[in-house]
Amino acid sequence: MGNAVSAASSIGAPAAELVLAEGSAVRIRVPASSANLGPGFDCLGLALGMYDEIAVTVTDGGVVVVSAEGQAAGDVPTDERHLVARAVIRGLEYAGVAAPGLSLHCVNTIPHSRGLGSSAAAVVGGLAAASALLARDGRRAALTETELVQLSSEFEGHPDNAAASVLGSGVVTWMNDGPEFFARRLTVHPAVRATSFVPQTRSSTAVTRGLLPDAVPRTDAVFNLSRAALGVVALTSDPSCLVDATDDKLHQRYRAEAMPATSGLMQALRSRGHAATVSGAGPSVLVLGTVELGDDEARLAAEHGFEMISLEIADGVEVIG
């Protein structure tokens, strides 16, 4: 690894010209997220009030050392292969800056592989830590929100979860050839609240994405276009439309066979008048509404093997401490 932490660049970042001072340290808090919100496949996202915290310190050891506690703490690498570490390195390299060594400590609250954006949060948190280190050093500008969206989206190939963790609230995202990733923040109506239903089982986005067909009927495509547009209205100005606005014919039914408990709970909640969707690629379920869910929904969740968790709509990633 040599005397400075670095990594191969994917977008032609300059070679490191500056080295951060030993002892510089930052702490980051980054929210979970839910993508798709029903019909907005790969283009709608929402930041949720469940947070990971990341502490990063520049060291003189010439190595990257990672420690973790909480969710999946024993299942992740403890060196530069760790996703948060890779993101910190990427952010520094993008700015043409290196570190003699890095020590990271991650406190993980967001469940892994449950459709709540844990990997996007790790990447956004790492990049935000790099940005904060740049700001503290003062010789390079901190990363902008636009750069954070672009760099974090490169890790996963689409920006919905990542942009939600960067910007907070709700987001609309899109991409151009290049690829270039873009996002705009939605101001979610103050009456809207979120409830997550989280199982113990995990899911793989790569596997569930492979279940989707290459083509869908035009009527289904038109259906989803109308519901995704309505979703923006429901989130920002008219929450009474949330049940209709979260309906979908593009992806959820194709994944149902692989996640029968998720599909069963979602349908049971929708039959009771709740705006329930698969959270991202699953297996968690997300309900958006204007009232707190209660004991009946908690019992229903338990019957299907899920834990019900009420969550605030969150702001974006921030430097703390």
Side-chain angles (χ1 to χ4, degrees):
M1 185 180 302
N3 293 324
V5 176
S6 72
S9 171
S10 62
I11 57 172
E17 301 167 355
L18 300 175
V19 178
L20 296 176
E22 176 193 353
S24 184
V26 296
R27 288 179 61 213
I28 301 295
R29 187 174 85 150
V30 58
S33 60
S34 182
N36 303 329
L37 310 184
F41 184 64
D42 280 359
C43 64
L44 290 180
L46 187 69
L48 301 174
M50 180 186 294
Y51 303 91
D52 284 353
E53 291 190 11
I54 301 161
V56 181
T57 302
V58 179
T59 67
D60 64 352
V63 295
V64 178
V65 178
V66 182
S67 59
E69 60 182 286
Q71 294 284 336
D75 301 333
V76 294
T78 57
D79 55 20
E80 69 274 7
R81 296 171 298 163
H82 191 285
L83 187 55
V84 175
R86 288 166 51 202
V88 175
I89 294 166
R90 178 71 185 101
L92 294 177
E93 183 195 51
Y94 175 79
V97 175
L102 292 170
S103 174
L104 290 79
H105 182 68
C106 304
V107 180
N108 302 327
T109 299
I110 305 169
H112 285 210
S113 302
R114 304 296 207 287
L116 292 170
S118 61
S119 61
V123 171
V124 170
L127 288 166
S131 179
L133 287 171
L134 294 172
R136 183 151 297 180
D137 179 78
R139 292 176 290 173
R140 287 284 191 272
L143 302 177
T144 66
E145 288 184 341
T146 298
E147 289 171 319
L148 287 173
V149 168
Q150 174 67 31
L151 293 171
S152 59
S153 300
E154 288 176 359
F155 274 80
E156 296 193 9
H158 46 89
D160 44 10
N161 286 105
S165 287
V166 172
L167 301 176
S169 193
V171 292
V172 176
T173 70
W174 70 101
M175 58 184 293
N176 292 339
D177 293 338
E180 294 178 287
F181 299 96
F182 303 92
R184 291 296 183 270
R185 189 179 193 270
L186 301 174
T187 301
V188 175
H189 192 285
V192 174
R193 56 193 65 192
T195 307
S196 181
F197 296 80
V198 184
Q200 291 300 312
T201 57
R202 297 186 179 192
S203 177
S204 165
T205 301
V207 171
T208 57
R209 188 172 287 267
L211 300 173
L212 303 181
D214 293 329
V216 297
R218 177 166 44 181
T219 54
D220 289 356
V222 172
F223 181 95
N224 267 61
L225 285 170
S226 67
R227 294 310 196 274
L230 181 61
V232 175
V233 175
L235 283 172
T236 59
S237 63
D238 189 356
S240 69
C241 300
L242 277 168
V243 173
D244 283 343
T246 52
D247 207 355
D248 160 71
K249 293 186 178 181
L250 192 62
H251 65 101
Q252 291 181 146
R253 66 183 180 186
Y254 297 107
R255 291 167 160 165
E257 185 176 349
M259 298 183 293
T262 297
S263 180
L265 177 59
M266 184 188 75
Q267 295 303 328
L269 288 164
R270 290 191 70 86
S271 72
R272 288 163 170 76
H274 299 300
T277 70
V278 178
S279 184
S284 294
V285 172
L286 180 73
V287 168
L288 298 175
T290 57
V291 297
E292 289 282 357
L293 303 188
D295 292 341
D296 288 345
E297 290 82 10
R299 281 192 293 269
L300 178 65
E303 289 171 4
H304 286 78
F306 289 70
E307 178 187 5
M308 188 177 85
I309 305 171
S310 296
L311 299 169
E312 296 179 347
I313 309 301
D315 288 328
V317 63
E318 61 179 337
V319 181
I320 59 174

